[in-house]
């Protein structure tokens, strides 16, 4: 009879599964990285503890007994579950080897994701990324509450308890309707924004606040157009249709110019712009891992000539 107090060891179950799947003791031992005698002892201990004969041995072949065939799926399930558990534990120790929930603001995500995802796949192949696109305030709230692991936003976040890692800087470019008198200019003074119908994104978008800050820095009051947009893509379409002008980050120029009849102008130096970086909870204890992630993102995104790497 089976000893009801007996608990099979993982070594015994692995030995049984390896022998059953390879039909050969030597090959099974090699697959587990152990000696054949160690494998045989583990399997024998399992059979003894269960009081069940699992394997028939002959000089040339290995067969499963009827009991062995019945119990094999259960042993395989245990071994597989342990593997899943180990992988999950590895992801807990190193967040770059498991699932990572990354937030991105809407004026960053569409323009850096292609390069970012390619770089992550090459450099961190065990990372399973979950992307959440949202406005800055909602991302920061979700991050502080534990619903996100990190976020890619415009710095500074002005949020206590978060660590910031700068990744890249980029200039703002003035987007204009086709044929506008400033089209193609390379030294536009920000003071001219006070004379132009400025099309802004909806409340909550950090680019809206940054645009108004450029106006304040230039000492001018923004002449805000009646039209407002929920996304940068919509704002650009409105500009192309003659409804106003707007500021777009340099990383968005290539994408937005390709799908709109858009005129552009550069600001005079020092050009207004923004800094994008990675933020995460300081209490997470994962400073080293997220600095590594930021370096990978900087390598991937930094190849874009429109941005200047700072990480």
């Amino acid at each position: 009879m089976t000893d009801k107090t007996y608990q099979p060891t993982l070594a015994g179950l692995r030995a049984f599964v390896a022998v059953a799947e390879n039909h050969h003791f030597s090959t099974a031992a090699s697959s587990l990285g152990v000696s054949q005698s160690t494998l045989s002892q583990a399997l024998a201990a399992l059979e003894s503890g269960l009081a069940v004969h699992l394997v028939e041995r002959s000089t040339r072949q290995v067969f499963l007994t009827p009991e062995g065939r019945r119990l094999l799926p259960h042993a395989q399930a245990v071994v597989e579950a342990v593997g899943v558990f180990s992988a999950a534990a590895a992801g807990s120790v190193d967040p770059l080897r498991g699932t990572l929930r990354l937030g991105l603001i809407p004026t960053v995500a569409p323009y850096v994701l292609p390069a970012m995802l390619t770089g992550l796949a090459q450099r961190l192949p065990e990372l399973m990324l979950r992307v959440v696109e949202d406005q800055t305030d909602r991302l920061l709230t979700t991050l502080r509450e534990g619903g996100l692991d990190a976020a890619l936003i415009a710095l500074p976040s002005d949020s206590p308890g978060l660590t910031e890692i700068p990744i890249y800087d980029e200039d703002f470019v003035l987007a204009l309707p086709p044929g506008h008198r400033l089209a193609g200019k390379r030294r536009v003074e920000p003071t001219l924004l006070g004379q132009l119908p400025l099309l802004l994104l909806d409340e909550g978008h950090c680019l809206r606040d940054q645009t108004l800050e450029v106006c304040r820095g230039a000492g001018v009051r923004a002449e805000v157009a009646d039209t407002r947009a929920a996304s940068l893509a919509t704002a650009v379409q409105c500009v192309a249709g003659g409804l106003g002008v707007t500021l777009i980050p340099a990383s968005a120029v290539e994408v937005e110019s390709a799908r709109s009849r858009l005129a552009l102008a550069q600001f005079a130096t020092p050009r207004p712009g923004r800094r994008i970086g990675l933020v995460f909870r300081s209490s997470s204890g994962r400073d080293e891992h997220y600095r590594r992630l930021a370096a990978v993102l900087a390598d991937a995104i930094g190849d874009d000539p429109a941005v200047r790497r700072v990480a």
Side-chain angles (χ1 to χ4, degrees):
M1 289 180 62
T2 302
D3 182 353
K4 293 183 179 180
T5 65
Y6 173 72
Q7 295 293 326
T9 66
L10 182 58
L13 292 171
R14 280 177 170 158
F16 172 42
V17 171
V19 169
E21 292 178 347
N22 289 278
H23 302 286
H24 194 277
F25 272 76
S26 178
T27 304
S30 296
S31 71
L32 295 178
V34 299
S35 67
Q36 187 170 333
S37 61
T38 297
L39 178 93
S40 297
Q41 290 170 10
L43 180 58
L46 177 67
E47 291 181 312
S48 175
L50 294 174
V52 173
H53 196 44
L54 300 172
V55 175
E56 292 183 24
R57 304 160 178 83
S58 70
T59 55
R60 293 187 178 183
Q61 290 181 300
V62 175
F63 299 96
L64 293 183
T65 64
E67 294 80 6
R69 289 194 298 273
R70 180 174 59 84
L71 293 175
L72 177 60
H74 301 289
Q76 289 171 321
V78 171
V79 171
E80 182 179 353
V82 169
V84 171
F85 178 82
S86 299
S92 298
V93 174
D94 182 355
L96 305 186
R97 294 179 57 195
T99 300
L100 187 139
R101 300 160 299 174
L102 180 67
L104 294 97
I105 55 177
T107 58
V108 165
Y111 312 112
V112 306
L113 269 177
M116 189 182 86
L117 294 177
T118 298
L120 290 175
Q122 293 172 346
R123 295 276 300 278
L124 299 172
E126 295 181 89
L127 177 67
M128 293 176 287
L129 195 65
R130 299 291 181 266
V131 171
V132 176
E133 183 185 45
D134 210 337
Q135 295 178 5
T136 302
D137 286 347
R138 289 198 288 265
L139 289 179
L140 292 178
T141 297
T142 306
L143 178 61
R144 286 191 296 267
E145 293 175 351
L148 288 174
D149 299 303
L152 201 62
I153 64 170
L155 302 181
S157 68
D158 295 324
S159 186
L162 298 182
T163 297
E164 302 178 356
I165 307 175
I167 294 181
Y168 67 88
D169 292 332
E170 61 180 335
D171 297 332
F172 289 140
V173 176
L174 185 58
L176 305 157
H180 194 279
R181 60 185 176 84
L182 295 178
K185 299 292 185 182
R186 302 187 63 83
R187 295 183 181 85
V188 175
E189 294 294 337
T191 53
L192 288 178
L193 292 175
Q195 307 169 21
L196 301 172
L198 196 55
L199 198 156
L200 299 176
L201 295 182
D202 280 339
E203 298 279 355
H205 285 280
C206 61
L207 184 57
R208 174 191 175 90
D209 298 332
Q210 292 156 1
T211 299
L212 293 174
E213 183 57 37
V214 171
C215 293
R216 284 191 290 269
V220 297
R221 182 181 178 85
E223 181 187 332
V224 179
D226 291 335
T227 300
R228 291 195 308 177
S231 70
L232 186 56
T234 300
V236 168
Q237 293 292 330
C238 291
V239 169
L243 301 184
V245 305
T246 197
L247 269 59
I248 63 174
S251 59
V253 168
E254 182 178 358
V255 172
E256 297 301 341
S257 295
R259 60 189 179 191
S260 303
R261 292 180 61 251
L262 197 65
L264 302 169
Q266 305 287 336
F267 287 102
T269 55
R271 295 188 177 112
R274 66 180 184 177
R275 171 164 289 184
I276 300 298
L278 190 73
V279 297
F280 59 93
R281 293 183 302 280
S282 303
S283 61
S284 68
R286 293 175 168 178
D287 188 276
E288 179 184 348
H289 298 103
Y290 290 141
R291 291 192 182 279
R292 181 183 169 206
L293 174 63
V296 173
L297 294 178
D299 285 342
I301 301 170
D303 288 338
D304 185 344
V307 306
R308 300 180 298 279
R309 173 176 173 172
V310 294

